[in-house]
Amino acid sequence: MKLRLKHKIPLLVVSVIIISSAILGGGTYILAKNQLEEAINGKLGAVLDARQLSITSYLGGMKDDLERNARSNPNVASALVTMLDGWSDVEDDAKNILHKSFITENPNPEARHELIRGTEGSYYSITHGQVHRQFLDMYSSGNFADILLISPEGNVIYTTAKNTDLAMNAPAEAPDGPIAKAHALQASDPKAFYFSGVIPYSHAADGTAAILATTILDDFEDVVGTLAYSLNLDKLDQILLRDKGLGETGELLLTTADGTVLNKTRFSPDQERKLSEDLLGKLAPEGDEVIYAFGMNDLGQEVLAGAQKFSYLGNELLLVNTIGTDEALAPTVEMGTTLLVTGLVLVVVLGGLGLVIILGDINPMVAMTEAMRGLSGGDLETRIPARKRRDELGEMAEALEVFRDTAVQGKDLQKQQEEERQQAEQNRRKMLGDLANRFEQRVQAVVETVENSANTAENTAGSMTDTSQTAEKQILEMKRATEEASHKTQTVAAATEQL
């Protein structure tokens, strides 16, 4: 179907508005989406930085405290020497004696750390009573799960919490365990620090521990033993479980390189977890950079995750911040809906405004076309539209009006010429009629004269016998000539009538 301009132009305007709005809206959406994703990633990264700073501050504070007590606090070195004296009294059967006195037969099994002296009556119990209050004050701060003193031979000669690692000879019984590795610093680097990271530890109450240790030096900087802190993992959990900045579905995970989650998590605190293969394969940050990736977590949920390496005293850990995909993309979806609604409103408003403006010009153009068609068909009474407009349509109307007036004048002139032609024809007919009448009258007069003469001659013909036949012939010829002249006169009159 062939469209007319009055249809083409509005369709073109609406199409341009729709396409322009789509391009503008699409470009705005993509730009805003990228900015929102950057903002979301930035938020995840900011939370990671804040939590890493908190963890580093906590561990740094514990390390400073450990260094101060092991190197600068003479009471700790003195306590170790005192406990070594007590240890010598039970050394031959230390594990049985001390476990029975402080663990299995402890009068307060739910708070074994509160026992000041054992019930076996050994010198160890006496020395324990002398130093235990000192470490009990430290323990009550809540930063420790346990405090351990290790002899130069690797024997755990004192623990505050009284777990089953009391009286253990670490190098012999657990050579790959954290206590044996902490004890090994005495030979390798006496001033170094050992941090195990969060690891499985069967002697701990909940099966996991984070051991921070260094050697104890006397005033002559000679090694007298090892001081080890078993850190309170609840402190780490408290840092990682803070939901500030995590939204409704976010959680923080501290993991090993293989993805084993070391902390209690926000939504499954009692469940052992490990990063999914999907996320672990995507989250491989280098240096201090934060890597972001969408993926499926170990709980089967679609999440956006940000990961950052966390290194402390030789331990390479991974700090991961995850948030549900729906929540992460909610601003993008909301923005997309807003842009869609705004785009539709914009299309309707601009389309309507464009149609009003275009139709304001199209309708006069259509009327102008109809006027031109009417004038071309000879209807000089056609009304000329848009004569009062001050734009090109007004100029067209003025030109069309001049054309119509010229056509009217031409028609009037033609009519006048036709009237003049008809009047001239009428005058000509009248003149020819008058001429024929006058000729006929003259001929009739001649005929009558001849007839009169003939009658007169006939009356006198009696006396002119000889000449009668001749005269008769002449008369007859004259009469024939007269009739012929009369016939011609009538023929002329008929021709004149036809003209």
Side-chain angles (χ1 to χ4, degrees):
M1 181 178 65
K2 187 176 181 180
L3 294 177
R4 301 177 65 84
L5 280 178
K6 67 179 181 180
H7 299 133
K8 287 181 180 179
I9 295 178
L11 284 175
L12 179 62
V13 170
V14 172
S15 299
V16 169
I17 291 174
I18 292 175
I19 294 172
S20 300
S21 299
I23 294 174
L24 179 62
T28 303
Y29 174 77
I30 293 172
L31 179 62
K33 180 175 178 291
N34 292 336
Q35 291 177 343
L36 281 173
E37 288 181 354
E38 289 179 1
I40 294 169
N41 292 343
K43 184 178 179 181
L44 291 178
V47 171
L48 288 174
D49 289 338
R51 297 301 191 275
Q52 183 168 136
L53 179 61
S54 297
I55 294 172
T56 303
S57 297
Y58 168 67
L59 294 177
M62 297 306 297
K63 176 177 175 290
D64 292 341
D65 184 80
L66 177 67
E67 183 177 21
R68 182 172 55 253
N69 284 320
R71 308 284 163 74
S72 305
N73 187 349
N75 293 329
V76 172
S78 176
L80 178 61
V81 172
T82 300
M83 291 308 302
L84 284 172
D85 288 342
W87 174 262
S88 63
D89 187 43
V90 296
E91 184 174 7
D92 293 339
D93 195 19
K95 180 171 289 190
N96 289 330
I97 295 172
L98 299 183
H99 278 213
K100 180 179 178 181
S101 180
F102 289 94
I103 299 175
T104 59
E105 294 184 2
N106 191 309
N108 190 0
E110 299 300 325
R112 295 196 294 261
H113 63 278
E114 294 180 355
L115 184 61
I116 303 299
R117 288 190 177 185
T119 58
E120 85 288 353
S122 66
Y123 183 60
Y124 179 91
S125 290
I126 295 173
T127 58
H128 182 276
Q130 293 173 355
V131 304
H132 186 57
R133 287 186 176 87
Q134 173 186 341
F135 291 108
L136 195 59
D137 290 340
M138 295 170 57
Y139 180 82
S140 62
S141 67
N143 290 322
F144 306 96
D146 202 356
I147 302 172
L148 301 89
L149 294 177
I150 305 167
S151 71
E153 295 77 26
N155 296 309
V156 180
I157 62 175
Y158 169 84
T159 70
T160 305
K162 300 302 182 289
N163 293 320
T164 56
D165 51 2
L166 176 63
M168 175 182 69
N169 182 268
E173 297 179 39
D176 295 326
I179 304 302
K181 291 179 179 179
H183 170 260
L185 292 177
Q186 296 181 16
S188 61
D189 188 357
K191 292 187 177 181
F193 289 83
Y194 168 76
F195 179 60
S196 67
V198 181
I199 60 172
Y201 188 62
S202 61
H203 301 289
D206 60 358
T208 58
I211 305 298
L212 181 63
T214 191
T215 56
I216 302 173
L217 304 179
D218 60 15
D219 294 339
F220 302 100
E221 293 194 352
D222 292 329
V223 175
V224 295
T226 303
L227 176 63
Y229 289 167
S230 178
L231 303 181
N232 185 358
L233 295 180
D234 289 342
K235 290 291 185 179
L236 289 175
D237 290 337
Q238 289 172 10
I239 294 173
L240 295 173
L241 286 173
R242 288 203 300 263
D243 57 6
K244 183 177 180 181
L246 297 179
E248 297 294 328
T249 60
E251 62 179 357
L252 278 163
L253 311 173
L254 184 64
T255 78
T256 60
D258 66 353
T260 301
V261 178
L262 303 175
N263 61 298
K264 290 182 179 180
T265 58
R266 182 181 181 186
F267 299 112
S268 52
D270 299 323
Q271 180 179 345
E272 292 186 2
R273 295 180 56 184
K274 187 174 183 179
L275 279 182
S276 66
E277 293 296 330
D278 183 27
L279 285 180
L280 191 60
K282 296 175 180 176
L283 301 176
E286 296 180 2
D288 295 331
E289 68 175 341
V290 180
I291 296 295
Y292 303 96
F294 286 95
M296 187 79 69
N297 69 4
D298 56 305
L299 301 178
Q301 301 166 338
E302 286 285 346
V303 296
L304 170 62
Q308 188 176 38
K309 277 188 176 180
F310 176 71
S311 300
Y312 190 75
L313 294 178
N315 288 269
E316 295 292 337
L317 302 176
L318 195 63
L319 189 59
V320 180
N321 185 7
T322 67
I323 185 172
T325 301
D326 290 341
E327 182 179 0
L329 297 181
T332 304
V333 174
E334 183 179 351
M335 178 201 63
T337 302
T338 302
L339 286 177
L340 178 61
V341 172
T342 303
L344 291 176
V345 172
L346 189 64
V347 168
V348 172
V349 172
L350 292 182
L353 183 61
L355 286 178
V356 169
I357 295 174
I358 292 299
L359 291 178
D361 291 332
I362 288 292
N363 289 337
M365 289 178 63
V366 173
M368 192 76 69
T369 302
E370 296 297 329
M372 291 179 180
R373 185 180 290 111
L375 290 177
S376 66
D379 184 6
L380 300 181
E381 300 298 325
T382 299
R383 177 181 170 276
I384 306 300
R387 289 179 295 174
K388 296 182 179 180
R389 292 177 69 111
R390 294 293 181 266
D391 54 10
E392 289 81 355
L393 287 174
E395 295 176 358
M396 288 176 63
E398 291 179 0
L400 193 59
E401 189 171 20
V402 171
F403 176 78
R404 186 191 65 176
D405 293 343
T406 301
V408 169
Q409 292 175 0
K411 187 174 182 180
D412 291 343
L413 179 60
Q414 184 180 8
K415 181 178 179 181
Q416 182 181 356
Q417 290 176 345
E418 180 62 24
E419 290 177 351
E420 290 178 353
R421 187 187 67 77
Q422 291 179 358
Q423 184 64 38
E425 184 66 24
Q426 185 177 0
N427 292 338
R428 180 172 173 274
R429 287 178 182 177
K430 184 178 180 182
M431 181 186 70
L432 290 175
D434 292 344
L435 179 61
N437 289 335
R438 287 196 301 271
F439 181 74
E440 184 177 6
Q441 289 175 359
R442 290 177 180 178
V443 171
Q444 187 67 32
V446 171
V447 170
E448 289 179 353
T449 302
V450 172
E451 285 182 351
N452 290 334
S453 297
N455 290 332
T456 302
E458 186 178 359
N459 290 331
T460 58
S463 61
M464 298 176 69
T465 303
D466 295 333
T467 61
S468 60
Q469 292 180 351
T470 305
E472 185 177 359
K473 289 180 181 179
Q474 292 176 347
I475 291 170
L476 290 174
E477 290 176 358
M478 187 174 296
K479 186 176 181 180
R480 190 181 298 113
T482 300
E483 288 176 352
E484 185 177 355
S486 178
H487 178 70
K488 288 181 179 180
T489 300
Q490 291 176 359
T491 300
V492 170
T496 302
E497 188 67 28
Q498 288 179 358
L499 291 172

